Amino acid sequence: MADKTAVPDLAPAPAPAVPQALTDAPGYQVRRLHQAYVALWGRAVDATLTGPQFAVLTAVHAAPGRDQRSMASAVALDTSTMADVARRLENRGLLVRRTDTADGRRKLLYPTDEGERTLRAVHERARCLGERLLEPYDDERRADLLRLLTSLADRWEGLATGC
């Protein structure tokens, strides 16, 4: 008589092969890159400060007192996402949003001392991650790759705004 209490084999099935239609799709590859980058950022740079938050802090540090809308454009965020990121950074005490006295609808962004300390602490880890990501390439190939990525991003942003 068979043992009815036997545990069935729960080994995971092998992952199916990725269809050629996906591997040939630039958007699929970009999504893979983004997912890997976000995972690496969380482990190698900062588990609580996101890449977009780091970008905003970096931009605010470089140009304190600029308005939230122009900062959104500078770091490639839409205005609603920028408002959310700025609010989160403000709640963490990393930046201050002040209402523009000349235009009450505008919010001007300033780093706090804690924001400056956080940026300094994270900056080197972010630089090291960038080095690690591009490690297989010599300086010339890195420059070519960054030019291609920038060109691709510029083109896709242009297409997205033209829809």
Side-chain angles (χ1 to χ4, degrees):
M1 185 163 184
D3 181 5
K4 295 185 182 197
T5 62
V7 177
D9 183 12
L10 298 177
V18 178
Q20 183 81 32
L22 289 179
T23 60
D24 289 347
Y28 173 76
Q29 300 301 350
V30 168
R31 186 179 59 76
R32 288 182 58 216
L33 283 169
H34 177 71
Q35 287 179 308
Y37 182 76
V38 168
L40 285 165
W41 178 276
R43 285 196 307 271
V45 179
D46 196 291
T48 58
L49 187 74
T50 66
Q53 290 172 346
F54 174 74
V56 169
L57 270 182
T58 300
V60 170
H61 167 79
R66 296 286 307 273
D67 68 283
Q68 199 165 281
R69 183 178 296 269
S70 65
M71 286 293 184
S73 178
V75 297
L77 293 175
D78 62 72
T79 54
S80 62
T81 301
M82 178 64 186
D84 183 54
V85 169
R87 188 176 311 108
R88 289 173 189 263
L89 290 170
E90 184 176 42
N91 289 343
R92 289 182 57 195
L94 302 179
L95 67 76
V96 186
R97 295 185 303 161
R98 295 189 184 125
T99 302
D100 186 347
T101 55
D103 181 351
R105 297 169 297 176
R106 289 175 24 135
K107 300 289 185 196
L108 307 179
L109 305 178
Y110 298 89
T112 63
D113 290 343
E114 182 61 24
E116 293 285 353
R117 280 190 293 278
T118 298
L119 186 59
R120 279 192 302 277
V122 172
H123 180 77
E124 181 59 20
R125 292 191 302 268
R127 191 198 63 71
C128 287
L129 175 59
E131 271 299 312
R132 187 171 156 207
L133 293 172
L134 298 177
E135 186 177 20
Y137 307 105
D138 63 26
D139 289 344
E140 185 177 340
R141 296 255 345 248
R142 286 179 187 196
D144 289 343
L145 179 59
L146 288 173
R147 268 193 300 279
L148 284 169
L149 288 171
T150 300
S151 174
L152 188 63
D154 290 345
R155 169 137 172 86
W156 286 18
E157 286 174 348
L159 291 171
T161 59
C163 293

